[in-house]
Amino acid sequence: MFEIFLIVIVLVHLHLEWRIWIRREDDVFAKYRDGKMAPLTAAKWAYLCKAVWLIGLILLQYFGVEFREAVIFSFTAYAVLIQILLPFKVYNLLNLVLALACLVEWWIRSQ
């Protein structure tokens, strides 16, 4: 599961970079918002969630948490935050499902 997770995350972020730099899209965070939320507001909250994920990953690594667990825990924080800060979207829910699947796998492996 973890390897699939890493592949998905890399592909999603490469696609984002392609949309920003090659296609030059303005509303690259549309997948996070509904019609009522302004594009800049969605971008702000999505960026905050991603920053928490990255900073969490860095801090967990600094304090000695193994890479696999650090990725899972920091991604789970991201998945929960997008549920709280952004409108309900299937994409946001799928992030939470993936985070929970990774947590279950981690828990099973640690037993």
Side-chain angles (χ1 to χ4, degrees):
M1 174 58 76
F2 184 72
E3 289 75 16
I4 293 169
F5 167 73
L6 289 180
I7 291 168
V8 168
I9 294 306
V10 168
L11 291 175
V12 165
H13 287 281
L14 288 175
H15 183 249
L16 175 66
E17 297 300 326
W18 179 73
R19 290 174 58 210
I20 291 171
W21 302 108
I22 305 300
R23 290 181 56 191
R24 302 211 184 270
E25 291 181 26
D26 291 329
D27 191 9
V28 295
F29 293 107
K31 65 185 175 187
Y32 292 101
R33 65 183 186 86
D34 58 15
K36 296 178 260 180
M37 180 176 271
L40 186 56
T41 303
K44 175 182 71 170
W45 290 120
Y47 179 82
L48 173 69
C49 295
K50 289 179 183 288
V52 167
W53 178 7
L54 180 59
I55 292 168
L57 177 61
I58 291 167
L59 289 175
L60 287 168
Q61 287 280 270
Y62 177 79
F63 288 110
V65 176
E66 290 188 31
F67 177 72
R68 183 184 197 102
E69 286 78 19
V71 170
I72 292 169
F73 298 151
S74 60
F75 178 73
T76 300
Y78 162 79
V80 169
L81 278 175
I82 63 173
Q83 289 297 319
I84 294 169
L85 298 174
L86 294 159
F88 176 81
K89 298 283 289 202
V90 172
Y91 177 80
N92 299 349
L93 180 63
L94 290 174
N95 277 286
L96 187 59
V97 169
L98 181 57
L100 292 175
C102 287
L103 282 173
V104 167
E105 181 194 35
W106 166 79
W107 185 78
I108 289 170
R109 288 174 144 239
S110 67
Q111 296 303 310

